[in-house]
Amino acid sequence: MTLLFAGILIFLGVHSVSIVAPAWRQRMVARLGESGWKGAYSLLSIAGFAMIVIGYGAARQAPELLYSPPGWTRHLAALLLLPVFPLLLSTYFPGAIKRAVGHPMLIATMLWAGAHLLGTTTRADLLLFGSFLGWALADWVSARGRPQRKHPGAPVWRFNDVIAVIGGIGLYLGFAMWAHLRMIGIAPFG
C-alpha cells in the first residue's frame, strides 16, 4: 500500500503543479526550457504511474475489504463509464463536445474514478479512485480560472465529434469486453 500511495503522490503531484504553483512551473519552464520541463514531467509521471500499477497490483493480492456495494452499482458504473472514452478522444479531436464540456479529460477522469468508487470495496480502491476523483475535481475548478495552454491534437474538423463518439464507444466496448479482464484481471460484465 505504501508503494501505491507514493505513486499516487508522485503522479498526481506532478499533475498538480499548475493548480498549486503556476508561477513556479513557469520559472522551471524558463530555466529548463520547454523540452527539459516536459522531459522531467514525463519521467516523474511514468515513474509515478509505474508505482501505482505495481502498488495497486500488490494491494489487490491482500485486499482490505471496507464494504460490500449493492449489485445494481455495477450497472450504474457501466453507464457512467460509457462517455469516458468519447470525452478522452474529444480532448484530441476538438469539436462541439470539447467546446461544450471545456475540459473533457478532467470530466472523463471524474466519471472514471466516480464510477469505480461505486463498485469497489477495498482500501486500495478507495485510495486510488478517490485520489483521482479529488484531483480531477480540484484541477477542473482551478482550470476554470487560469489561462489554458495549447495541447496537441487534430485540427478542428466537422467530423471530430463523430470520430470521438464512434471511436470512444468502440474503445469502451473493447476495453469492457476484452482489455479490462486481460489488463486488470476483472471482467466488468461478469
Side-chain angles (χ1 to χ4, degrees), residues 78-100:
L79 183 63
L80 288 172
L81 288 166
L82 186 58
V84 167
F85 284 112
L87 285 167
L88 286 175
L89 289 181
S90 73
T91 301
Y92 301 103
F93 292 92
I97 297 170
K98 186 171 183 176
R99 278 192 307 278

Side-chain angles (χ1 to χ4, degrees), residues 3 6-15 37-55 132:
L3 188 61
I8 290 170
L9 216 57
I10 292 168
F11 186 84
L12 294 182
V14 168
H15 284 81
W37 169 257
K38 286 181 179 179
Y41 183 97
S42 297
L43 287 174
L44 284 170
S45 294
I46 291 167
F49 185 74
M51 291 167 70
I52 290 170
V53 170
I54 295 166
F132 272 85

Side-chain angles (χ1 to χ4, degrees), residues 68-158:
S68 181
W72 60 265
T73 60
R74 290 185 69 181
H75 304 293
L76 180 56
L79 183 63
L80 288 172
L81 288 166
L82 186 58
V84 167
F85 284 112
L87 285 167
L88 286 175
L89 289 181
S90 73
T91 301
Y92 301 103
F93 292 92
I97 297 170
K98 186 171 183 176
R99 278 192 307 278
V101 175
H103 302 282
M105 186 175 292
L106 293 175
I107 301 298
T109 303
M110 285 187 261
L111 287 171
W112 169 81
H116 280 83
L117 283 171
L118 285 173
T120 57
T121 60
T122 70
R123 187 178 308 270
D125 295 329
L126 185 62
L127 176 62
L128 176 66
F129 300 116
S131 296
F132 272 85
L133 179 60
W135 168 81
L137 185 57
D139 197 15
W140 180 73
V141 169
S142 171
R144 300 183 77 177
R146 67 178 188 256
Q148 295 304 299
R149 291 185 300 276
K150 184 136 174 86
H151 295 287
V156 176
W157 186 41
R158 65 182 176 162

